[in-house]
Amino acid sequence: MQRVIGSRGLLRAPCFQRGAVRSYSTPNNTYIDVSKLTVQKTTHPKPKTPHQKLVFGKEFTDHMLTVDWSVENGWEAPKITPYGNLSISPASCSLHYAIQLFEGMKAYKDKEGRVRLFRPDKNFERMNNSARRLALPTLNPEGVTECIKALLRVDQDWIPSEKGYSLYLRPTLIGNQESLGVSPPNAAKMFVICSPVGPYYPDGFKPVKLLADHINVRAWPGGTGSYKLGANYAGGILPQQNAMKRGYSQILWLFSDQHYLTEVGTMNLFLFWKNEEGKLELVTPPLDGSILPGVTRDSILTIVKEWNEFQVTERPVKMAEVIKAIEEKRLMEIFGAGTAAIVSPVKQIHFNDKDYDIPINVEDPSATIGPLARRVVDRIMAIQYGEVDHPWSVIIDDQ
Amino acid sequence: MQRVIGSRGLLRAPCFQRGAVRSYSTPNNTYIDVSKLTVQKTTHPKPKTPHQKLVFGKEFTDHMLTVDWSVENGWEAPKITPYGNLSISPASCSLHYAIQLFEGMKAYKDKEGRVRLFRPDKNFERMNNSARRLALPTLNPEGVTECIKALLRVDQDWIPSEKGYSLYLRPTLIGNQESLGVSPPNAAKMFVICSPVGPYYPDGFKPVKLLADHINVRAWPGGTGSYKLGANYAGGILPQQNAMKRGYSQILWLFSDQHYLTEVGTMNLFLFWKNEEGKLELVTPPLDGSILPGVTRDSILTIVKEWNEFQVTERPVKMAEVIKAIEEKRLMEIFGAGTAAIVSPVKQIHFNDKDYDIPINVEDPSATIGPLARRVVDRIMAIQYGEVDHPWSVIIDDQ
């Protein structure tokens, strides 16, 4: 046998493209009907961990929401039941072919003790995009929002009232077909579990060190990087573990040998700098299919555009541009943005065997968060905790 | 705000590379100990569907194998229990971050009624590679093979004895950490379920039409395409559904704008042609990280190399080369290769708005399988069903 070692030579890379998030047809149009909701309360309420000791995503409230779906019956009656294990077939496509997607959102208690959600419409819009991509049924955002409100009323004692604390909600949709054939699922299960969480940085912001990774790749044009699927997370755990062993707390995911910045860990990415024309500019990678359309990302863009104080740009950014801005002392802040932390300031990026220091606050070397990131966090939290009136904050029992 | 629409211009594509399947460290070194196996038999054996009516992966035997793992205790005692639902936390990382992988293999009954496995060592070698990639524990192939033999003894009445029929085994490994943090799992579950299956083509081979897809991408450099992870399958279901709506039964997955052929549906791909030098050649894409290292693929390569009758080449193949070979009447056969069908002859490829007919048998237009594919199937089945002595066929109760 002759073994020919093929070389693929110089190729033109497939590019991520604006508007690449396509829409797909919905397999079933029935609706989740909140009027059919049943509530079975626990007879064994769990003890609650003091809020100072909460660890993200480890503790769950007393109840959960479940809604089953099948091709034959569409969405069944929603149920609130005691939190507990699911009974899942060992042949379920959720466990074999990663037919699973999720959302992350939070409920907040305001000073008056009212429970608030933050932009739930954005979560369920994205959840439906993810569902279509996996040939799973979509859900009516109003129906599921009303069911979640009911769940929050049942579990409202679990929502910490201290500022910075909240109840993390995890709406999840899994395929539940009991068959090893790789095909669109004939059954599905939507569930929502709730976990009380503290501030991501309980002792004040801790700027992070990133490992810029151009070996492992999170997403690819024609892949699923812009949908919130379990499948996008599996491959990232080992690279993240290896980064931590080297002293870096998150991966900075790069794309192509042009080293475009895409995401940081599981967050979107923002850079604040003086651009090459000497103008103040906030830059973030575009929704070209390569990154998750984050709710926090969208909120930051909307807020800073309203301020109208500097240029706001969605465009691909190369690592070389970041290094040039550092060298020319034009870079002012880099931060990640997501539901868990809101923002996460970056203090260092390791790239190609070199550590690059990122300024936190060019005026104050002792700062742990930059002035822009601070303003953004303050504004978003003021909305989330109802300190200002804003349509993004939805009170669950508004009269 | 000024919106800058970025163009990424001409890029050099990162290439898949030979030997790109890296090895990773094992999180836990304890072993599955078959001497600790417990067996709980069902008190309600299920009725068996007549073998002619079997549908792939829909029906399961009376029993299953389960082995739990935790960071603290390593692998627990393996258990054979009645087939039934798993109890899984709604916060399990198997359902949120696709921490799941599987294998596909078969057990066969030979003419003497003995039960045989086909190259189980290859499955567990690959399973361990997948496990390392997801920061899951590896398992000792001998231990799990012995447990599977025990399961087959319990469920041996479920193994059809007709030639072409077999018992499909699905070893599966899932992360089972009950936490929403994205991190290496502190708990896992390995299980094996069994499904009696008929020949993939019960009424003789049915050559398939393929839709060559250069929009959706199955795998990419720096991704996980060479590991058997659930995450590699989720994104393929919708494109496959859309292909079927257009009258094509499988996707031919292409990569890059050079349109390299990678896989067909969930199978590896072989082309048999006269190459440009006029020599007979069997070609298949290389194990460069872009494709699954199939057991059937490896078996075919080994068998045809032993024949030593024509050139056998592992190298990247472009769609343009296939079209040129069709036009110059050099193409003789294309077939997919995998555990379910062994081989699947291809009769047409739709590419760039054009249907290209692929010859099945250049000598006999009425044939449903080509001469090479036929020889390969006959040889592999002779080994699987023990008609010839071969080290690949492992008798479970060899004396």
Side-chain angles (χ1 to χ4, degrees):
Chain A
M1 172 216 149
Q2 183 192 334
R3 187 179 273 257
V4 178
I5 296 182
S7 160
R8 302 200 181 181
L10 288 165
L11 307 181
R12 186 163 169 252
C15 294
F16 283 110
Q17 299 200 344
R18 239 166 221 287
V21 183
R22 275 157 287 157
S23 69
Y24 300 96
S25 69
T26 308
N28 194 293
N29 282 318
T30 62
Y31 282 76
I32 293 177
D33 183 353
V34 70
S35 76
K36 293 185 179 156
L37 178 72
T38 60
V39 180
Q40 179 205 342
K41 288 200 185 174
T42 183
T43 52
H44 295 85
K46 293 182 276 194
K48 296 179 182 68
T49 300
H51 67 265
Q52 301 87 342
K53 295 194 176 168
L54 290 170
V55 176
F56 177 81
K58 288 241 185 236
E59 184 167 343
F60 299 92
T61 63
D62 280 325
H63 299 88
M64 64 191 289
L65 171 72
T66 314
V67 198
D68 287 317
W69 177 91
S70 67
V71 162
E72 300 80 23
N73 303 325
W75 289 108
E76 309 271 355
K79 290 179 287 190
I80 290 174
T81 57
Y83 175 91
N85 280 7
L86 301 171
S87 176
I88 295 182
S89 165
S92 169
C93 59
S94 63
L95 298 176
H96 294 267
Y97 308 126
I99 307 303
Q100 54 181 251
L101 59 93
F102 66 93
E103 281 297 319
M105 55 197 293
K106 285 177 172 175
Y108 310 84
K109 253 186 195 159
D110 68 18
K111 274 186 286 188
E112 286 76 36
R114 290 174 302 189
V115 178
R116 293 168 174 269
L117 293 168
F118 182 72
R119 310 189 75 186
D121 53 325
K122 295 294 285 181
N123 289 102
F124 297 116
E125 179 191 327
R126 186 171 63 183
M127 194 169 192
N128 278 342
N129 283 335
S130 302
R132 288 184 199 101
R133 185 61 187 82
L134 291 189
L136 282 168
T138 54
L139 36 79
N140 47 320
E142 320 73 41
V144 71
T145 305
E146 288 307 311
C147 290
I148 285 176
K149 288 179 180 178
L151 178 62
L152 290 171
R153 284 180 205 112
V154 173
D155 272 344
Q156 61 182 306
D157 290 349
W158 283 90
I159 311 173
S161 49
E162 296 78 9
K163 189 158 177 196
Y165 290 79
S166 58
L167 191 68
Y168 181 83
L169 309 178
R170 174 56 67 96
T172 312
L173 177 58
I174 62 173
N176 212 11
Q177 173 163 298
E178 186 178 14
S179 162
L180 299 180
V182 181
S183 62
N186 62 11
K189 187 185 280 288
M190 201 281 286
F191 58 90
V192 182
I193 54 177
C194 314
S195 175
V197 294
Y200 201 79
Y201 296 104
D203 308 316
F205 285 88
K206 282 211 184 74
V208 296
K209 294 160 82 171
L210 306 181
L211 180 66
D213 190 337
H214 48 93
I215 303 296
N216 296 289
V217 176
R218 198 196 79 91
W220 196 266
T224 59
S226 60
Y227 304 91
K228 205 160 173 71
L229 311 183
N232 293 335
Y233 293 80
I237 286 177
L238 191 76
Q240 158 77 13
Q241 186 183 32
N242 290 337
M244 290 185 83
K245 281 181 190 162
R246 294 173 61 186
Y248 302 93
S249 60
Q250 294 289 344
I251 298 273
L252 173 59
W253 297 102
L254 302 180
F255 176 69
S256 96
D257 60 3
Q258 298 293 300
H259 302 139
Y260 288 106
L261 285 67
T262 63
E263 291 197 17
V264 45
T266 58
M267 288 183 284
N268 291 122
L269 180 71
F270 284 88
L271 299 97
F272 188 50
W273 60 19
K274 271 193 190 121
N275 63 22
E276 299 216 37
E277 291 84 51
K279 289 189 178 148
L280 277 182
E281 184 183 40
L282 182 68
V283 186
T284 196
L287 299 183
D288 59 3
S290 70
I291 64 166
L292 198 76
V295 178
T296 307
R297 175 187 181 280
D298 183 83
S299 303
I300 292 174
L301 287 174
T302 306
I303 286 169
V304 296
K305 283 179 204 169
E306 283 172 3
W307 290 343
N308 198 25
E309 295 174 17
F310 45 78
Q311 212 163 296
V312 180
T313 312
E314 296 174 64
R315 72 162 174 91
V317 181
K318 294 179 196 179
M319 197 59 211
E321 296 178 73
V322 178
I323 293 169
K324 188 157 186 275
I326 293 169
E327 288 168 350
E328 296 174 357
K329 300 199 188 305
R330 292 184 285 105
L331 185 62
M332 299 164 73
E333 296 181 40
I334 294 183
F335 53 89
T339 293
I342 307 179
V343 303
S344 179
V346 174
K347 69 172 176 186
Q348 196 181 76
I349 297 176
H350 183 88
F351 174 71
N352 269 354
D353 297 324
K354 202 169 159 186
D355 283 320
Y356 294 91
D357 287 329
I358 310 296
I360 302 296
N361 181 331
V362 288
E363 305 287 325
D364 174 6
S366 71
T368 57
I369 183 169
L372 178 61
R374 179 81 261 171
R375 273 180 79 188
V376 162
V377 171
D378 288 347
R379 176 66 180 161
I380 290 180
M381 286 183 72
I383 298 171
Q384 288 171 336
Y385 289 87
E387 293 164 6
V388 293
D389 259 347
H390 198 288
W392 285 349
S393 185
V394 177
I395 302 173
I396 73 161
D397 284 309
D398 206 8
Q399 302 306 323
Chain B
M1 173 218 149
Q2 183 193 332
R3 189 180 271 256
V4 178
I5 297 184
S7 160
R8 304 201 179 181
L10 287 166
L11 306 181
R12 186 165 170 251
C15 296
F16 283 111
Q17 300 200 340
R18 239 164 221 288
V21 183
R22 274 158 286 157
S23 69
Y24 299 95
S25 69
T26 307
N28 194 293
N29 282 320
T30 63
Y31 282 75
I32 293 177
D33 183 353
V34 69
S35 75
K36 292 184 179 156
L37 177 72
T38 60
V39 179
Q40 181 205 342
K41 288 201 185 173
T42 183
T43 53
H44 295 84
K46 292 183 275 194
K48 297 179 183 68
T49 299
H51 67 265
Q52 301 87 340
K53 295 194 176 167
L54 290 170
V55 176
F56 178 80
K58 289 240 185 240
E59 183 168 343
F60 299 92
T61 62
D62 280 325
H63 299 89
M64 62 192 290
L65 171 72
T66 315
V67 198
D68 287 318
W69 176 91
S70 67
V71 162
E72 301 79 24
N73 303 326
W75 289 108
E76 309 270 355
K79 289 180 289 191
I80 290 174
T81 56
Y83 176 91
N85 279 7
L86 301 170
S87 176
I88 294 182
S89 165
S92 168
C93 59
S94 63
L95 298 176
H96 294 267
Y97 308 127
I99 308 302
Q100 56 181 249
L101 59 93
F102 66 92
E103 280 298 318
M105 57 197 290
K106 284 177 172 174
Y108 310 83
K109 254 186 194 158
D110 67 19
K111 274 185 285 187
E112 288 75 38
R114 291 173 301 189
V115 178
R116 294 168 173 269
L117 293 168
F118 182 72
R119 308 189 76 185
D121 53 324
K122 295 294 283 181
N123 288 101
F124 297 116
E125 177 192 326
R126 186 171 64 183
M127 193 168 191
N128 278 341
N129 283 335
S130 302
R132 289 184 198 100
R133 186 60 186 83
L134 291 189
L136 282 169
T138 54
L139 36 80
N140 47 320
E142 320 74 41
V144 71
T145 304
E146 289 306 312
C147 290
I148 285 176
K149 288 179 179 177
L151 178 62
L152 290 172
R153 284 180 205 113
V154 173
D155 271 345
Q156 60 182 307
D157 289 350
W158 284 90
I159 311 174
S161 50
E162 296 77 10
K163 188 157 178 196
Y165 290 79
S166 58
L167 191 68
Y168 181 84
L169 309 177
R170 175 56 66 94
T172 312
L173 177 59
I174 62 173
N176 212 10
Q177 173 163 297
E178 187 177 14
S179 163
L180 299 180
V182 181
S183 62
N186 63 11
K189 187 186 282 287
M190 200 282 285
F191 58 91
V192 182
I193 54 178
C194 314
S195 176
V197 295
Y200 202 79
Y201 297 104
D203 307 317
F205 285 89
K206 282 212 185 72
V208 296
K209 293 160 82 172
L210 307 181
L211 179 66
D213 190 336
H214 47 92
I215 304 295
N216 297 289
V217 175
R218 197 197 79 91
W220 53 86
T224 58
S226 61
Y227 304 92
K228 206 162 173 69
L229 312 183
N232 293 336
Y233 294 80
I237 287 177
L238 191 76
Q240 158 78 12
Q241 187 182 32
N242 290 337
M244 289 185 84
K245 282 181 189 162
R246 294 174 62 185
Y248 302 92
S249 60
Q250 295 288 343
I251 298 273
L252 173 59
W253 297 102
L254 302 180
F255 179 71
S256 97
D257 60 2
Q258 298 292 301
H259 302 139
Y260 288 106
L261 284 69
T262 63
E263 291 197 17
V264 44
T266 58
M267 287 183 285
N268 291 122
L269 179 71
F270 284 87
L271 299 97
F272 188 51
W273 61 18
K274 271 195 190 118
N275 63 22
E276 300 216 36
E277 291 84 51
K279 289 188 178 149
L280 277 182
E281 184 183 39
L282 181 69
V283 185
T284 195
L287 299 183
D288 58 3
S290 70
I291 64 167
L292 196 77
V295 178
T296 307
R297 176 187 180 278
D298 183 83
S299 303
I300 292 174
L301 287 175
T302 305
I303 287 169
V304 295
K305 283 180 205 168
E306 283 172 2
W307 290 342
N308 198 26
E309 296 173 16
F310 45 78
Q311 212 163 296
V312 181
T313 311
E314 296 175 64
R315 71 160 175 90
V317 181
K318 295 179 196 179
M319 198 58 212
E321 295 178 73
V322 178
I323 293 169
K324 188 157 185 275
I326 294 170
E327 288 168 350
E328 296 175 356
K329 301 197 187 305
R330 291 186 285 104
L331 185 62
M332 299 164 72
E333 297 182 39
I334 295 184
F335 53 88
T339 293
I342 308 179
V343 303
S344 179
V346 174
K347 70 172 175 186
Q348 194 180 78
I349 297 177
H350 183 89
F351 174 70
N352 270 355
D353 296 323
K354 202 170 159 186
D355 283 321
Y356 294 91
D357 287 329
I358 310 296
I360 302 296
N361 182 332
V362 287
E363 306 287 324
D364 172 8
S366 71
T368 57
I369 182 169
L372 178 62
R374 179 81 261 172
R375 271 181 79 190
V376 162
V377 171
D378 288 346
R379 174 69 179 159
I380 290 180
M381 285 183 74
I383 298 170
Q384 288 170 337
Y385 289 87
E387 294 164 5
V388 293
D389 258 349
H390 199 287
W392 286 349
S393 185
V394 177
I395 302 173
I396 73 162
D397 285 308
D398 206 8
Q399 301 307 323

